[in-house]
Amino acid sequence: MDIGRHSSRFYSQRFEQFLHQRDSVKSVNTDPMSYLQFLANTFGSKKGREYEVYKHIPQRGTLTYTDVVHNDFSFCYEESIPTFSWELAEGDTIIIGYPCHKAVCQFRGRTWTAWYSLDLPFDNGPWKLGGLPGLILAASESRHEFSFVATGIEQMRQTATICFYHKRYLRSTPAKFQRLLEDYWKDQWNTTNRLQGSGYSESPKAQRSFNACLMDKYE
């Protein structure tokens, strides 16, 4: 996670490395099977999480969320930075050398427990989380499906600007993107065909259907 004076970016370094490798494979090899083999070898957690969260970008008070569906379809939506109704709780711990306090809140269908440090007075945290008087260094939700923990902090020696790169995103809204993910995991074959503009067809019999495990849900 990169935190600046006026904005921040939460992302997966592993996924950035995957993108660089993917682009290199595309540029030096025209064989489509080699490209598909590369994607197969880096499937799942090996390539990191695809989504990114920009706070106060493109303007103050705005959250910009990007994600990738089926390796090739990049989506983007904007929303107001969420408001969290944290309840301060009893408990303290040490994370990467910083004393942390406990807070709990309900947010879009999940119960989150966060550990924040007053020694780092930044209203920020992993993913969309924030709204506490210190940086959130760890957070987990009650069903143990998602969790974050800081492993280190580094202050940059040079001034850098946090930028949002305007590539060819398919613009969406939070609710529409949620429905897309739900459709994709129920029927990847036809949802991908629809994104490609090739219409619907009979799904392979071996295809499995899943319920999307979403970090937050929009009613």
Side-chain angles (χ1 to χ4, degrees):
M1 181 175 185
D2 298 334
I3 300 177
R5 290 183 179 178
H6 306 294
S7 60
S8 65
R9 176 190 177 215
F10 181 79
Y11 63 100
S12 166
Q13 289 183 326
R14 185 179 296 177
F15 185 64
E16 281 208 334
Q17 294 170 354
F18 162 77
L19 291 179
H20 289 309
Q21 293 171 350
R22 184 196 66 179
D23 293 343
S24 297
V25 170
K26 272 188 170 182
S27 64
V28 302
N29 199 324
T30 57
D31 179 13
M33 292 306 298
S34 296
Y35 176 61
L36 292 175
Q37 186 62 46
F38 165 76
L39 294 179
N41 291 337
T42 54
F43 180 77
S45 61
K46 292 181 181 180
K47 70 173 192 256
R49 296 302 305 269
E50 294 92 336
Y51 70 85
E52 296 185 359
V53 180
Y54 296 82
K55 294 173 183 173
H56 302 296
I57 290 178
Q59 59 194 12
R60 185 148 189 87
T62 299
L63 182 150
T64 300
Y65 185 96
T66 70
D67 205 346
V68 179
V69 176
H70 203 73
N71 294 311
D72 290 316
F73 303 98
S74 298
F75 286 84
C76 171
Y77 68 73
E78 294 178 6
E79 63 176 330
S80 297
I81 290 181
T83 299
F84 296 88
S85 300
W86 293 103
E87 295 183 8
L88 304 186
E90 292 292 329
D92 56 70
T93 189
I94 303 290
I95 299 176
I96 56 171
Y98 291 92
C100 293
H101 303 282
K102 185 178 181 181
V104 180
C105 82
Q106 303 279 338
F107 180 67
R108 294 177 185 164
R110 293 186 181 271
T111 301
W112 287 92
T113 298
W115 297 92
Y116 65 98
S117 176
L118 296 175
D119 290 353
L120 299 166
F122 303 101
D123 173 9
N124 216 323
W127 181 56
K128 299 180 181 181
L129 300 176
L132 285 165
L135 183 64
I136 298 173
L137 295 180
S140 60
E141 55 81 38
S142 58
R143 282 173 277 180
H144 308 290
E145 292 173 338
F146 298 97
S147 63
F148 307 93
V149 62
T151 58
I153 293 179
E154 180 181 357
Q155 185 170 1
M156 296 188 66
R157 296 179 180 178
Q158 303 180 41
T159 301
T161 302
I162 298 175
C163 297
F164 175 68
Y165 297 99
H166 295 274
K167 57 183 182 180
R168 295 182 63 182
Y169 287 109
L170 297 169
R171 292 281 173 172
S172 186
T173 67
K176 286 182 179 179
F177 187 65
Q178 174 182 304
R179 289 195 295 272
L180 172 66
L181 291 179
E182 290 171 339
D183 290 345
Y184 176 76
W185 287 109
K186 286 180 181 177
D187 188 347
Q188 296 182 43
W189 178 265
N190 277 314
T191 303
T192 303
N193 283 342
R194 175 159 55 90
L195 290 172
Q196 292 173 333
S198 55
Y200 291 83
S201 62
E202 185 177 351
S203 303
K205 293 183 179 180
Q207 177 179 268
R208 298 178 62 187
S209 179
F210 302 92
N211 290 322
C213 184
L214 304 176
M215 234 184 301
D216 57 343
K217 286 194 173 184
Y218 298 81
E219 300 297 334

